[in-house]
Amino acid sequence: MRSRAQGARDVQAVRDEGNRDGAGTVSAAGEFLTREFSASVADGSSPAGSDLLGSQVHSLVYVPRDAAAGRVRAPLVVCCHGLGESGLRVAGIAQRFATAGAVAVVPSFRGGGAPTAGSMTGMSVLTELADLEAVLDAAGAWPFVDAGRTALFGRSQGGLVAVLAAARRPTRMSALVLWYPALRLPQTTRARFGSASSASAVPQTFTHRVDGRDVTLGRRYAVDAWSLDIDAELARLARLRLPVLLVHGEQDADVPISVSENAARLLPDARLVRIPGAAHGFGDERFADAVARTEAFLAWCEVLEGA
């Protein structure tokens, strides 16, 4: 388990490496350094299952060389993966953000797909929210980060987690990017386990289909999602006038594009980009188009450097 002092040493290591040519793990073109980082999570969302997850969320951090050397303070973008995944699923796009001048952090949420993440039966949207808030608190205090330019990127369930985090930090977000966000999770959870007024009918474990495979989730996952009011969360974001980019495939059967259409109606400062022919996830040229639109949006929001 890493202490606060260890976290400080990690930050100093980034700065030391930024001042040494050829040191550290860098991208092929040498634009950024790569570090590992762990944050302690104060998970008060629900005590049940916490012992299955541990108290540390582990992340990869991509730091532009100028920021690592202390020459600039860089914006911060935290990238949130989907259900049953690790941070590696969004590491590629995070590296693009780092190349464009941002400190990009890729957490592997506890109970996700990483080998050290703990049991998936102990996780929920609220444990992932606690993880994300711990990462934001830690990264926002790094001396090479300009916390006034902070953005969140989330795909699928990571998009839902990003919405919840942004709604709870009304003055500390500059932009929000959501790829096919799973904003109907509460409704689909209640529909699956009946119309009861509580989650009492949810079993201790159950299976859920994700990207063509079954994953085993615990009761906490359904209980924590049961009473979430996502439209109310979106209304909070609407009052903030936070710029939001929604990117969604028109053929998505897992999260229908109507989910993003509804969000766009509720958010006056949202843009909805439709990807023709794309399902849940983008491939090849569709992925390149989604990334390009995301980078252009974040540059417009003055989070990333413009082309």
Side-chain angles (χ1 to χ4, degrees), residues 29-269:
E31 297 97 339
F32 55 82
L33 305 176
T34 303
R35 299 291 299 177
E36 294 181 352
F37 166 71
S38 297
S40 296
V41 182
D43 183 4
S45 58
S46 175
S50 297
D51 56 332
L52 300 174
L53 299 176
S55 61
Q56 299 277 301
V57 56
H58 305 291
S59 304
L60 291 172
V61 185
Y62 305 105
V63 185
R65 278 189 172 274
D66 282 349
R71 291 188 285 268
V72 298
R73 294 176 68 225
L76 174 68
V77 182
V78 181
C79 301
C80 305
H81 62 78
L83 176 63
E85 301 171 351
S86 75
L88 293 177
R89 184 63 184 265
V90 292
I93 192 168
Q95 292 168 7
R96 294 280 295 262
F97 296 157
T99 300
V103 173
V105 183
V106 182
S108 289
F109 294 135
R110 295 172 302 149
T116 59
S119 173
M120 195 174 295
T121 58
M123 63 77 64
S124 75
V125 171
L126 294 186
T127 66
E128 292 192 344
L129 173 61
D131 293 349
L132 177 53
E133 292 190 313
V135 169
L136 285 167
D137 287 341
W142 292 340
F144 46 81
V145 163
D146 178 2
R149 291 187 292 159
T150 296
L152 295 178
F153 168 89
R155 55 161 259 123
S156 196
Q157 183 167 291
L160 171 56
V161 175
V163 165
L164 296 175
R168 285 156 176 76
R169 293 170 177 259
T171 62
R172 290 183 281 178
M173 289 293 153
S174 298
L176 187 61
V177 177
L178 309 174
W179 283 14
Y180 38 89
L183 302 180
R184 284 188 184 164
L185 175 63
Q187 294 97 313
T188 57
T189 299
R190 292 191 293 267
R192 174 171 181 176
F193 295 107
S195 58
S197 59
S198 71
S200 58
V202 179
Q204 289 301 312
T205 61
F206 58 94
T207 59
H208 183 76
R209 195 78 171 167
V210 180
D211 291 336
R213 61 190 177 92
D214 288 329
V215 297
T216 300
L217 302 173
R219 187 171 186 272
R220 180 179 190 179
Y221 183 84
V223 169
D224 283 358
W226 197 272
S227 299
L228 289 176
D229 186 341
I230 304 306
D231 282 356
E233 302 286 352
L234 293 174
R236 292 171 69 180
L237 291 181
R239 291 192 294 271
L240 301 176
R241 303 305 299 260
L242 179 69
V244 178
L245 178 67
L246 296 146
V247 186
H248 214 122
E250 292 183 341
Q251 304 303 317
D252 193 332
D254 294 338
V255 179
I257 195 171
S258 59
V259 173
S260 285
E261 291 171 340
N262 178 67
R265 284 192 294 269
L266 294 174
L267 297 170
D269 294 280

